[in-house]
Amino acid sequence: MIKGRVKGKIWSSRRVDSMPSGALLEIEVEEGGQLIAFDPLGCDTDESVLITQGSVAASYFNGRTAPVDALIIGSIDETKT
């Protein structure tokens, strides 16, 4: 799993038909760098998240073929002081 922070939404006026409902988010990963992840949870900007990639991410869609390589699988609760 990868830990990252949501930096913003990626807006797209067109998608392939097999793409499920949900948002595409720009993520800054903890180790440095960025990636785009599919968000079925409704995460907000600056939220800390857990991401999985590859076949595990694609298999989330229960028999549907979805062109998803990175999937947000959890929102990390944080206490801000």
Side-chain angles (χ1 to χ4, degrees), residues 23-35:
L24 294 171
L25 302 182
E26 183 177 2
I27 308 295
E28 186 175 286
V29 296
E30 196 172 60
E31 301 86 29
Q34 296 182 337
L35 59 83

Side-chain angles (χ1 to χ4, degrees), residues 1 14 16 25 28 41 46 48 72:
M1 283 187 274
R14 294 184 282 175
V16 295
L25 302 182
E28 186 175 286
L41 304 178
D46 208 37
S48 187
I72 295 175

Side-chain angles (χ1 to χ4, degrees), residues 5-9 25 39 42-49 75:
R5 187 167 298 277
V6 177
K7 290 301 169 188
K9 291 188 177 184
L25 302 182
D39 175 26
C43 296
D44 288 325
T45 300
D46 208 37
E47 194 167 339
S48 187
V49 294
S75 173

